[in-house]
Amino acid sequence: MAAVPYLVGFHPATSLVVVGLANGRAKMVARWGLPFPPGTLNAMAPLIDREEVTDLVIVGYGPGDLVTPAVDEARNLAMATGVHVGEALRAHEGRYWSYICDVPTCCPAEGTPYDLSTSPIAAEATVHGLVALPNREALERTVAPVTGPVRTAMRKATSEAIAGFRADLMAARDLDTFARDFVADGLARVRSALEIHTGGGRLNDEEAAKLGLALAVMRVRDEAWTLMHESHAALWRDLTRRLEPRFVPPAASLLAMAAWRAGDSVQATVALERALTTDPGYSMANLLMHALHNLLSPSILRDRLPTPAELDTAMGPVSPAWLLPLINLLDEEGPDPTE
């Protein structure tokens, strides 16, 4: 009970959490909000097989009428896949009940009180760099738009970056050359930003705004995708929070990819929700959300990503058409979510 919040990143409520174990080690952790429609857990079957899971621990949070059907579905799945259920619990208002133990002296009908603050798990988890935020809303705030003077400064930097791009575009004598130069500059910006953050630095407002514009070009965004590493999450989280909303989807999707690779599917989901709130049709975000919903392993993409050179070959020569997604964003001023 004390470990689960650190496994999912926050203290769950009205949720079902399933932990898959193999030889006593956690191999997978999945969480669903309650209630959910029948058949929701079916996607777990191939994951259980792929990770060679031998035991499940099932914990539902909330009242019995909400939790019990979900726990029953998880137990049925375990039976169908030949996996042992080590424990199945319901937790609610400071007490827990076992669906497996029916010995009154061990598992009383009124439930067993528990206090997570008395467990050594919290201290051990903190030492290992794990956190458990109060709730999912707190996790969402870690990728929420910045406000106040920081937002004002970024809005100013973005306006200046847009004005500079427009001026350069209008002054360009050859659009093919302009497009090539812009893409080359964008690729360099991606690599420079990664170096700055790896060294413990942070992009200034001008650098962040210009990178935000460049990421609207698919080839530039995909440069970051091909270079992806879990350690890049800090950069993409910073940009997800600082960029003006219309420029957020690429950065939020890259944050989701970094989080997913690190095994943090909850953080990945929250980042994708930010991307899809701004642009419901953003293909990269939809692709990753589909993978998360189907509990796919990040290795399916990690092992198949092209190199930058392969991308250049596949996409062909740079053309002015590559800049259209960016140009289409320049006049979209949507509502400010911070106001």
Side-chain angles (χ1 to χ4, degrees):
M1 295 294 294
V4 167
Y6 292 92
L7 294 175
V8 299
F10 62 94
H11 291 269
T14 58
S15 301
L16 179 76
V17 176
V18 177
V19 182
L21 305 172
N23 299 318
R25 294 175 61 88
K27 296 295 293 291
M28 48 152 280
V29 181
R31 173 204 164 270
W32 296 264
L34 297 177
F36 54 63
T40 295
L41 305 187
N42 290 345
M44 281 192 65
L47 178 62
I48 288 172
D49 180 64
R50 184 174 68 239
E51 298 296 333
E52 300 180 340
V53 169
T54 57
D55 297 85
L56 293 183
V57 174
I58 304 165
V59 186
Y61 295 83
D65 59 345
L66 195 65
V67 170
T68 300
V71 170
D72 287 345
E73 183 168 335
R75 295 178 71 186
N76 289 337
L77 176 68
M79 184 181 301
T81 54
V83 174
H84 175 252
V85 177
E87 184 58 281
L89 301 173
R90 179 175 73 87
H92 189 52
E93 296 180 345
R95 292 177 178 268
Y96 69 82
W97 294 260
S98 174
Y99 288 92
I100 293 177
C101 174
D102 56 5
V103 180
T105 56
C106 174
C107 303
E110 68 273 17
T112 302
Y114 69 94
D115 181 2
L116 301 185
S117 66
T118 63
S119 170
I121 291 290
E124 294 176 11
T126 301
V127 168
H128 288 86
L130 300 176
V131 296
L133 297 174
N135 48 45
R136 194 177 192 276
E137 289 71 25
L139 183 60
E140 292 170 354
R141 287 194 290 273
T142 66
V143 296
V146 294
T147 59
V150 179
R151 167 58 58 209
T152 301
M154 273 304 300
R155 186 173 293 131
K156 179 175 183 292
T158 303
S159 295
E160 291 173 351
I162 290 173
F165 173 81
R166 283 177 166 153
D168 291 343
L169 179 61
M170 294 300 294
R173 296 184 178 181
D174 178 24
L175 290 181
D176 289 299
T177 300
F178 176 81
R180 285 195 298 271
D181 290 346
F182 183 84
V183 170
D185 179 72
L187 299 179
R189 287 186 182 281
V190 167
R191 291 177 177 270
S192 174
L194 292 173
E195 290 178 4
I196 289 171
H197 266 257
T198 299
R202 184 171 184 256
L203 301 184
N204 62 36
D205 292 340
E206 178 184 355
E207 292 167 335
K210 288 184 176 180
L211 180 56
L213 265 65
L215 289 170
V217 178
M218 185 181 299
R219 176 62 186 87
V220 177
R221 181 206 67 189
D222 286 355
E223 182 79 359
W225 179 294
T226 63
L227 299 173
M228 181 59 65
H229 187 272
E230 294 86 322
S231 63
H232 298 169
L235 168 62
W236 305 124
R237 182 181 295 107
D238 180 48
L239 289 179
T240 296
R241 300 202 66 201
R242 292 167 65 197
L243 292 178
E244 289 294 282
R246 55 191 151 147
F247 297 106
V248 161
S253 298
L254 291 166
L255 168 59
M257 181 61 173
W260 186 35
R261 283 176 57 108
D264 192 347
S265 59
V266 180
Q267 174 74 86
T269 299
V270 169
L272 293 175
E273 288 171 352
R274 271 229 59 200
L276 294 172
T277 296
T278 301
D279 183 359
Y282 196 68
S283 59
M284 181 180 179
N286 280 301
L287 171 67
L288 289 176
M289 189 67 88
H290 176 78
L292 289 169
H293 284 170
N294 287 278
L295 304 179
L296 300 180
S297 168
S299 63
I300 65 170
L301 290 180
R302 182 191 297 131
D303 300 336
R304 292 171 173 80
L305 288 177
T307 65
E310 290 170 338
L311 270 181
D312 289 335
T313 300
M315 296 184 69
V318 178
S319 76
W322 288 20
L323 305 184
L324 287 177
L326 169 59
I327 293 170
N328 291 336
L329 288 176
L330 298 185
D331 295 319
E332 293 182 11
E333 282 288 354
D336 181 359
T338 67
E339 296 179 348

